[in-house]
Amino acid sequence: DMHRKFVVQLFAEEWSQYIDLPKGFLVNERCKVRLVPLQIQITTLGNLTPSSTVFFCCDMQERFRPAIKYFGDIISVGQRLLQGARLLGIPVIVTEQYPKGLGSTVQEIDLTGAKLVLPKTKFSMVLPEVEAALAEIPGVRSIVLFGVETHVCIQQTALELIGRGLEVHIVADATSSRSMMDRMFALERLARTGIIVTTSEAILLQLVADKEHPKFKEIQNLIKASAPESGLLSKV
């Protein structure tokens, strides 16, 4: 368990500096070691509960419609996720990248009840106003993140969030880019950092967790009403 929280380092006399020790090392003589705290947790379990989760909807704007691959599909999935968030009482934070030039969030996405809808020029969603909004929500542990573009705003947001100790779930069927190659390599890179790449159905069913959940039927109906798979997931 120590290796989840610290790097163990040995002082190497010949180099006059500390070097990392591998797991399972043996010490057979007197030496100088130190523990260096990790900035992020290595193992992520990925458990989700409504009380500790916030949804981030990133830059689903009108001007991106003709350029982003499978944009119509990610709009539909994004709307389903926001409906699920309202049913389960999960806070939603929405950003719009330079809306003066790129337009507002598309009309198909209902932002009713969103905790925050914020314009930005920074690529990451982690703005001072967003951090303040998160600080107002007790017990936040997990962020469910979706929108565009995967390799720019989604990637930079995810990396900043895990750097702050939050667990990030990226919804693969609700995020895209202009280029499928950019999207694919971004998702691969993010998964290697401990970010969870998942699907909208997995997210919604994990949040209800039990057929006896009072909102299970409504969540099930949301999933059943979804459009046939578009092929976007085959591009992960």
Side-chain angles (χ1 to χ4, degrees):
D1 186 62
M2 177 180 67
H3 281 278
R4 295 185 182 185
K5 300 175 183 176
F6 300 95
V7 173
V8 184
Q9 295 186 326
L10 166 73
F11 187 77
E13 297 287 351
E14 62 269 35
W15 296 321
S16 299
Q17 66 182 26
Y18 283 92
I19 59 172
D20 293 354
L21 285 173
K23 292 182 182 180
F25 68 92
L26 296 174
V27 176
N28 54 21
E29 60 184 33
R30 189 176 181 85
C31 62
K32 187 176 179 182
V33 298
R34 70 180 182 183
L35 300 180
V36 180
L38 288 171
Q39 294 300 305
I40 62 171
Q41 191 174 348
I42 291 175
T43 303
T44 303
L45 296 177
N47 292 328
L48 283 175
T49 59
S51 61
S52 62
T53 299
V54 177
F55 280 21
F56 274 32
C57 176
C58 183
D59 306 350
M60 302 277 272
Q61 292 160 255
E62 190 58 44
R63 283 287 294 276
F64 292 127
R65 192 185 295 270
I68 301 296
K69 297 289 175 56
Y70 298 99
F71 194 62
D73 296 316
I74 68 169
I75 288 172
S76 298
V77 177
Q79 171 62 0
R80 187 193 323 155
L81 287 165
L82 295 184
Q83 287 178 281
R86 283 193 292 274
L87 286 170
L88 298 172
I90 295 171
V92 173
I93 291 175
V94 181
T95 59
E96 298 173 339
Q97 181 72 17
Y98 186 55
K100 183 178 178 180
L102 298 174
S104 301
T105 301
V106 296
Q107 291 185 351
E108 296 98 313
I109 291 184
D110 182 1
L111 300 181
T112 301
K115 181 175 180 64
L116 189 66
V117 180
L118 190 69
K120 68 181 177 69
T121 56
K122 180 182 176 182
F123 294 139
S124 170
M125 292 180 69
V126 185
L127 306 171
E129 298 92 334
V130 172
E131 293 192 89
L134 288 175
E136 294 173 359
I137 306 169
V140 175
R141 186 182 70 244
S142 306
I143 305 297
V144 171
L145 173 61
F146 57 95
V148 299
E149 290 188 68
T150 314
H151 66 296
V152 187
C153 297
I154 296 294
Q155 178 170 272
Q156 292 186 32
T157 300
L159 293 174
E160 284 206 46
L161 289 170
I162 63 167
R164 285 160 170 75
L166 291 161
E167 182 182 273
V168 180
H169 299 246
I170 293 178
V171 189
D173 52 333
T175 182
S176 191
S177 297
R178 288 164 295 152
S179 158
M180 288 293 96
M181 181 174 290
D182 282 329
R183 176 181 180 273
M184 176 184 69
F185 280 104
L187 292 177
E188 286 186 2
R189 176 195 175 183
L190 292 167
R192 286 196 300 270
T193 67
I195 290 165
I196 297 159
V197 180
T198 185
T199 66
S200 57
E201 182 170 334
I203 289 286
L204 292 172
L205 291 177
Q206 192 172 4
L207 286 165
V208 294
D210 191 325
K211 182 183 178 299
E212 300 307 315
H213 189 287
K215 298 293 183 180
F216 170 74
K217 224 24 163 177
E218 291 170 272
I219 294 294
Q220 185 184 45
N221 289 338
L222 273 182
I223 292 169
K224 285 181 176 178
S226 64
E229 187 174 312
S230 67
L232 180 60
L233 288 180
S234 67
K235 307 295 183 183
V236 174

